[in-house]
Amino acid sequence: MSKTEKKKLGLIPKLLIAIGLGTLAGLYMPQWFVKTAVTFSSMFGAFLNFVIPLMIIAFVTKGIADLGEGAGQLLLVTVVIAYASTLIGGSLSYVMSSNIFPAFISPDQVSKIQASTKIGMDPFFEIPIKPFFDVTSSIIFAFMMGIAISWLRKHGKGEYCYNLVGEFNEIITKVLSTAIVPLLPFFIFGNFSKMAFTGSVFAVLSIFWKIFLCVIALHLIYVAVLFIISGTYTKRNPVKLIKNQVKGYLTAIGTQSSVATIPVNLECAKQNSVSKSIRDFVIPLGATVHMPGSMITITACTFTILTMYGMNHSYLLMLRYMAILGIAMVAAPGAPGGAIMSALPFLPVVGIPSEGELASLLMTLYLTQDSFGTAANISGDTAISVAIDKIFNRHIVKNDEYKDGFNEKVINEEDL
């Protein structure tokens, strides 16, 4: 690795710098400068809105096609546990948010934020970019194609379609990594310039840091509980399980990618005595279907936005939103911000437009915490793999050699 690469800033520092510079620009720079930044944000938002349906088709289709190649009962058990864990994480986040966050968000702050939306700061010009598909059409098409390709592959066909979808997936991933994610700091710079100019920025920032601490605390508690449950179920020491996962957790914070952390997480699962066949199946699959950390963050951030703007945030509404996201985030690319990108099309479920100031504010809230959500996701993958190892060996294949808490000998023989 070159010296230049070592000094390269990560996404979170860039976002924090963008927030700070955007705030200063909105407070002290002339109006024409702020309008220029707002114009860029408007154009970027239109482009993002264009890419979203294509992203849904690329990632959801590929995700469903891949999930169809599972190992029968093992696939079903893993997906059900992962989905339930994701929803439970989101529900706990809602409980935390509804009981704690209102104390952070005073009526005075809310009135400042709402009043600022009435102050005009329009871009110099707008370029209308109409998407090829609307969101609903792209979702239906993606599910139809994913299921059809999976069915074709089971019958020895469909490889051409599968490869085509895979290459399209790579194209959209490249667009995200080269055109979307690198420009996000500039997008956020423009949004915070506008908020500073209109007077809402300090009310928003005074809320952000408190949300950040609460979300990280819930991540750690939830992951610890998963390891305690798995350890109790398999008669293994939860403290040892958690200790063996620290390397994977820290790696995920650094990479901000569940996929990039898979090799390290496989080693963590091995240290936690998960058999090779199970860890090789559950860890990569969990990186795409098990998203409790991301769900905790998105739920908390969405609740915050809804509360700040006086919108409906009932549990039934949020549960519907979480149930959809639990499926939609299967499409999340293994790159920084992938989960929130997958969530954007579904914001209208809770009354937030998928583009505009509220969506960009949600993205900012989420992205500043993204690496910790990713770390919770992959740590949760290891925790559930410990339990699934016992379920598979005891109840699916009925392996008499499997023994709770004493699987190390079987593991080592299998790895040779």
Side-chain angles (χ1 to χ4, degrees), residues 231-253:
T232 302
Y233 174 63
T234 58
K235 299 180 182 178
R236 300 180 191 177
N237 185 349
V239 175
K240 183 178 179 181
L241 296 177
I242 293 172
K243 182 180 178 180
N244 289 336
Q245 184 57 36
V246 171
K247 180 169 64 175
Y249 185 89
L250 295 177
T251 301
I253 290 177

Side-chain angles (χ1 to χ4, degrees), residues 98-115:
S98 59
N99 284 281
I100 298 177
F101 290 4
F104 300 160
I105 308 171
S106 68
D108 182 55
Q109 289 172 316
V110 172
S111 63
K112 287 181 181 179
I113 293 168
Q114 292 176 345

Side-chain angles (χ1 to χ4, degrees), residues 94-363:
Y94 178 85
V95 172
M96 174 193 70
S97 302
S98 59
N99 284 281
I100 298 177
F101 290 4
F104 300 160
I105 308 171
S106 68
D108 182 55
Q109 289 172 316
V110 172
S111 63
K112 287 181 181 179
I113 293 168
Q114 292 176 345
S116 69
T117 61
K118 300 176 183 178
I119 302 175
M121 173 52 71
D122 297 324
F124 284 119
F125 59 88
E126 295 180 332
I127 300 178
I129 305 176
K130 187 176 181 180
F132 287 139
F133 308 90
D134 61 37
V135 170
T136 303
S137 298
S138 62
I139 293 170
I140 294 172
F141 181 76
F143 271 78
M144 180 184 72
M145 288 297 294
I147 293 170
I149 292 172
S150 176
W151 179 82
L152 285 171
R153 297 190 76 202
K154 287 180 180 178
H155 292 80
K157 305 176 183 178
E159 287 303 315
Y160 175 80
C161 292
Y162 179 77
N163 292 333
L164 182 63
V165 168
E167 291 182 3
F168 183 55
N169 181 290
E170 292 180 13
I171 290 171
I172 298 301
T173 299
K174 189 66 175 177
V175 171
L176 289 174
S177 63
T178 59
I180 300 294
V181 174
L183 292 177
L184 280 175
F186 299 96
F187 179 53
I188 289 170
F189 174 88
N191 291 324
F192 270 81
S193 296
K194 180 178 179 180
M195 285 192 291
F197 182 85
T198 57
S200 67
V201 67
F202 291 112
V204 171
L205 291 176
S206 68
I207 295 171
F208 269 31
W209 71 271
K210 298 172 185 175
I211 305 300
F212 186 87
L213 293 178
C214 288
V215 167
I216 293 176
L218 184 57
H219 284 162
L220 295 173
I221 292 170
Y222 187 71
V223 169
V225 169
L226 286 180
F227 274 111
I228 291 171
I229 293 173
S230 291
T232 302
Y233 174 63
T234 58
K235 299 180 182 178
R236 300 180 191 177
N237 185 349
V239 175
K240 183 178 179 181
L241 296 177
I242 293 172
K243 182 180 178 180
N244 289 336
Q245 184 57 36
V246 171
K247 180 169 64 175
Y249 185 89
L250 295 177
T251 301
I253 290 177
T255 63
Q256 293 181 254
S257 169
S258 296
V259 174
T261 311
I262 286 175
V264 177
N265 218 29
L266 285 170
E267 183 62 28
C268 293
K270 180 179 179 180
Q271 291 177 351
N272 280 329
S273 302
V274 178
S275 59
K276 188 175 188 303
S277 60
I278 297 301
R279 66 176 184 260
D280 284 351
F281 180 86
V282 174
I283 297 301
L285 180 61
T288 61
V289 302
H290 188 220
M291 301 285 183
S294 296
M295 184 66 81
I296 286 171
T297 305
I298 291 177
T299 301
C301 294
T302 303
F303 181 93
T304 301
I305 299 298
L306 294 175
T307 303
M308 286 166 57
Y309 287 86
M311 302 167 70
N312 180 24
H313 49 261
S314 68
Y315 178 68
L316 290 179
L317 176 65
M318 292 293 289
L319 181 61
R320 185 157 66 98
Y321 176 61
M322 290 185 285
I324 295 172
L325 289 189
I327 298 172
M329 285 194 298
V330 171
I340 193 62
M341 293 297 182
S342 296
L344 285 179
F346 307 99
L347 291 179
V349 172
V350 292
I352 299 176
S354 58
E355 57 177 321
E357 183 177 328
L358 296 189
S360 66
L361 187 58
L362 178 62
M363 288 174 60

